[in-house]
Amino acid sequence: MPKWTLHTEFKFDAAHLIEGYDGKCGRMHGHSYKVHLSAESNKLNPSKYLETSDMVCDFRELKWAAKDAEKGGLDHGVLNELVKVNPTAERIAEYIYKETDRRIPEGIKLTITVWETENSWVEYTE
């Protein structure tokens, strides 16, 4: 059976605080987040931008979170207001996964990796 795996990376800057955290992260601060997203599929699909079944999914749909917060993404937003859960790196990765999953065709296996700092990251998949 064929298999295709798309990979893309993007960055966004955002502010957050971790409510209830006993330490510096309990105060409002910002990060330059890096996201690696992989999308694996055994079939090719059409997209919002291409009617023929020639892609796993569109890279544009995978990179939605890099858009400005005022345009539906996360860039230059306050994650506490956008994510609606305590925005730890784990919850941010989960949020990006779920929002991406609803934008792409069914049957695509996603893996989301979010770097909060150069040396600290989390990976999320279902």
Side-chain angles (χ1 to χ4, degrees):
M1 180 179 295
K3 179 175 85 170
W4 292 268
T5 305
L6 298 183
H7 296 273
T8 190
E9 291 184 345
F10 57 87
K11 293 181 180 182
F12 67 93
D13 297 312
H16 78 142
L17 64 89
I18 300 175
E19 294 184 35
Y21 188 83
D22 183 17
K24 294 188 292 186
C25 293
R27 297 190 306 266
M28 185 66 71
H29 63 285
H31 293 282
S32 291
Y33 291 93
K34 176 181 167 186
V35 177
H36 179 96
L37 194 148
S38 66
E40 181 182 306
S41 180
N42 295 103
K43 71 181 189 98
L44 297 178
N45 301 287
S47 83
K48 184 172 161 180
Y49 309 101
L50 179 68
E51 293 181 11
T52 59
S53 297
D54 291 312
M55 54 178 54
V56 170
C57 58
D58 199 295
F59 283 114
R60 288 165 63 179
E61 294 297 330
L62 297 178
K63 294 181 175 187
W64 68 270
K67 291 181 184 174
D68 188 277
E70 292 181 359
K71 295 180 181 175
L74 300 176
D75 191 46
H76 284 80
V78 177
L79 297 178
N80 298 73
E81 298 169 3
L82 299 171
V83 177
K84 305 296 184 199
V85 294
N86 211 4
T88 61
E90 294 86 347
R91 291 296 193 178
I92 295 165
E94 178 184 30
Y95 177 78
I96 292 171
Y97 178 100
K98 292 189 182 303
E99 284 296 309
T100 304
D101 189 54
R102 72 178 189 81
R103 297 166 187 256
I104 61 175
E106 287 185 31
I108 296 174
K109 181 184 178 208
L110 292 172
T111 303
I112 308 295
T113 307
V114 175
W115 281 264
E116 190 171 80
T117 68
E118 185 178 314
N119 301 314
S120 301
W121 66 90
V122 60
E123 183 176 279
Y124 182 87
T125 193
E126 289 187 355

